[in-house]
Amino acid sequence: MSNKNVELMRGDPKIAVRTLAIPIMISMLLTASYNIIDGIWVAGLGQAAIAGIGFVTPIFMILNGVSVGLGNGATSSISRAVGAKDHEKANQSATHSLLIFLVASILLTILFLIIQEPLLVSYGATGQALEEAIKYGTPLFSGLFGFMFANGASGILRGEGDMKRAMYAVIVSVIFNAILDPIFIYVLGLGSAGASLATIFSSIASAIVIMYWILIKKDTYVEVNLKDFKYDSKIARDILKVGIPASLDMFVMSIAMSLYLVFISSISGEFGIAAFTSGQRLYLFAIMPLTAIASAVAAVTGSSYGARNGENLSVAHMYGVKFGILFGTAVTIILIGLAPQLATLFAYTPETAVLVPEITRFLQIACLCLPLTAAGMVSSFFYQGIGKGAISLGWTIVREVIFTVSFTYLFGISLGWGLIGIWTGLALGRVISSILNFIFARYTIKIIRKRMGI
């Protein structure tokens, strides 16, 4: 069995990366608009609410990261089966993925509802900021299954190259979020909790759409038959050997984010946290196109690896790197040039206007890393595509902990540069680690081709 998406992944890698990246890019930009929309509406609730949501961000990164990571595991397993023309394995990978999403969502919801307050306190949240954080976090953690199935099932579609319908599902969720945010936050008077409830209901809508295509309409390349399901530990391990390290990627980034918050809080308290949180929303929005390109590379390299096509494997990675650097440069120019105007999106009230200069500095310094960060991201997703999730995780640790955390502490705390030092450390750490990651990826491709004779 085949379809046009599968044939695209088996064809010219440049065309495949470019074609698949565009709908993923749109999807991720729309997904990132969750944060932007929430930030704009929450800004009207005051600095404590902004800071409170900022304290929840590292925890939410872990949870959302698990759903995305497990989805990446599904993408890798299915795309390699597609490349090898093993339709039955692709079917089994999709079915096992759904089971994994269900189990993970139940376990993690229980865990994080229990530990959220101690974690928030450990990040430095106190007083009203802590209250706002709990108001925002509790509904978010309770509705984790929505994110798990929306992001995870999107990974199934990406594995077979069906990026357009994954995009359509995201469009549904963004429309819901845009409508529900002001209603829940202000009309119903739910404040911070309203922002998270809007996000949860939106993700559930997205999940329902995707599950309809897979389980009811049944017009996907993969065929999921739950009635005849038989657990196969080998299939589950194949998904989890990428899914778990990819999930831990976000865990490592969350730990790094927590340390940034500690450093920033020690320098300038709630003001610094609010400025960083607002600037970080725009930074995360800016890396979405780069993540999209990297995700396309993961699917195409997975298919090339499964087909044992070394030339396509190498071309897909290198083309993705060039594509990413081009986009990263364009986004950097926009962010730096429009930094003051963009900063006012999150500081438009008299109380928060004082944040504008610092948010502007964050954008003008921290975002300088984006072009070369693209090369590192594409390389990390390449490892996931070929089923080497542990290597991808290793490079996340190198980037976020060994380099970036160390540099933020060095410049911000040790050398006493303050917040400017933190922003400098973020940029420099990511640039150096991304260059090293790219070099290692090219070496890895050379070794693979030599070992397999491809």
Side-chain angles (χ1 to χ4, degrees):
M1 180 178 178
S2 185
N3 61 28
K4 62 180 182 180
N5 296 316
V6 169
E7 292 305 318
L8 175 66
M9 293 203 354
R10 291 172 179 164
D12 186 325
K14 291 183 179 180
I15 295 175
V17 169
R18 190 167 59 246
T19 304
L20 297 179
I22 300 304
I24 304 175
M25 198 176 295
I26 296 171
S27 298
M28 290 185 169
L29 287 171
L30 290 172
T31 300
S33 70
Y34 273 162
N35 277 332
I36 301 295
I37 292 170
D38 283 351
I40 291 171
W41 286 114
V42 169
L45 298 175
Q47 186 167 296
I50 298 173
I53 292 176
F55 281 116
V56 175
T57 300
I59 306 175
F60 179 61
M61 281 176 62
I62 296 173
L63 298 177
N64 196 47
V66 170
S67 66
V68 172
L70 293 178
N72 289 347
T75 298
S76 177
S77 183
I78 293 169
S79 66
R80 281 182 278 119
V82 166
K85 299 184 178 181
D86 190 341
H87 187 225
E88 181 56 30
K89 184 182 177 184
N91 296 341
Q92 289 298 316
S93 293
T95 307
H96 280 72
S97 294
L98 294 178
L99 174 65
I100 291 169
F101 303 154
L102 177 62
V103 173
S105 63
I106 293 172
L107 294 178
L108 290 173
T109 294
I110 295 171
L111 173 63
F112 278 87
L113 283 175
I114 292 172
I115 68 172
Q116 67 162 319
E117 186 169 349
L119 271 178
L120 290 167
V121 172
S122 72
Y123 296 160
T126 57
Q128 190 179 351
L130 176 60
E131 292 178 15
E132 294 288 346
I134 293 174
K135 280 175 61 179
Y136 182 79
T138 301
L140 208 61
F141 305 148
S142 300
L144 175 61
F145 70 93
F147 285 101
M148 189 65 68
F149 278 89
N151 291 329
S154 288
I156 293 175
L157 295 179
R158 290 197 305 271
E160 62 176 61
D162 192 350
M163 311 302 183
K164 287 186 178 179
R165 287 203 292 185
M167 177 185 69
Y168 298 151
V170 171
I171 291 173
V172 169
S173 67
V174 170
I175 291 173
F176 268 81
N177 192 55
I179 294 171
L180 295 177
D181 249 339
I183 294 174
F184 285 174
I185 295 172
Y186 295 107
V187 177
L188 299 180
L190 297 175
S192 299
S196 61
L197 283 170
T199 303
I200 286 298
F201 281 116
S202 302
S203 68
I204 292 173
S206 178
I208 289 173
V209 169
I210 299 175
M211 298 309 293
Y212 167 76
W213 288 325
I214 295 174
L215 298 179
I216 299 175
K217 195 175 182 182
K218 294 182 178 294
D219 62 347
T220 53
Y221 171 75
V222 295
E223 300 169 3
V224 174
N225 188 344
L226 298 175
K227 291 182 180 179
D228 298 328
F229 173 74
K230 292 183 180 179
Y231 177 74
D232 185 332
S233 61
K234 185 177 179 180
I235 296 290
R237 284 197 303 271
D238 189 53
I239 297 165
L240 292 174
K241 74 179 182 180
V242 172
I244 290 178
S247 300
L248 290 175
D249 272 356
M250 283 296 182
F251 179 69
V252 171
M253 286 187 272
S254 176
I255 292 174
M257 178 74 75
S258 303
L259 291 172
Y260 305 150
L261 290 173
V262 171
F263 299 161
I264 293 167
S265 183
S266 70
I267 292 170
S268 61
E270 196 174 272
F271 169 82
I273 296 294
F276 172 71
T277 301
S278 299
Q280 184 72 359
R281 287 180 188 277
L282 286 166
Y283 176 83
L284 293 176
F285 189 82
I287 66 171
M288 288 300 110
L290 312 184
T291 308
I293 294 167
S295 297
V297 169
V300 177
T301 54
S303 178
S304 300
Y305 189 75
R308 299 178 65 83
N309 189 326
E311 180 63 22
N312 281 5
L313 185 72
S314 179
V315 169
H317 173 256
M318 198 66 207
Y319 183 76
V321 167
K322 294 176 181 177
F323 196 8
I325 290 175
L326 179 65
F327 252 94
T329 301
V331 170
T332 301
I333 292 171
I334 293 170
L335 285 177
I336 292 176
L338 298 178
Q341 292 80 7
L342 292 170
T344 60
L345 288 174
F346 303 100
Y348 56 81
T349 66
E351 180 193 356
T352 57
V354 68
L355 297 172
V356 171
E358 199 57 57
I359 298 172
T360 300
R361 273 190 289 270
F362 172 91
L363 294 175
Q364 292 175 337
I365 298 173
C367 293
L368 290 172
C369 68
L370 285 170
L372 289 176
T373 295
M377 291 183 69
V378 168
S379 297
S380 289
F381 275 69
F382 152 72
Y383 305 128
Q384 293 179 14
I386 64 173
K388 308 293 183 182
I391 297 177
S392 177
L393 174 60
W395 278 104
T396 299
I397 294 172
V398 169
R399 182 184 70 245
E400 295 296 331
V401 179
I402 296 178
F403 281 99
T404 310
V405 168
S406 298
F407 283 1
T408 52
Y409 183 82
L410 171 64
F411 293 117
I413 308 295
S414 296
L415 298 180
W417 290 12
L419 292 179
I420 291 178
I422 300 293
W423 313 155
T424 301
L426 289 172
L428 192 58
R430 287 165 179 165
V431 164
I432 295 174
S433 58
S434 293
I435 293 171
L436 294 175
N437 192 353
F438 167 74
I439 293 171
F440 186 77
R442 298 309 300 174
Y443 172 77
T444 301
I445 291 171
K446 182 179 179 181
I447 294 299
I448 289 173
R449 297 186 69 174
K450 183 177 180 180
R451 186 178 68 243
M452 292 187 171
I454 56 175

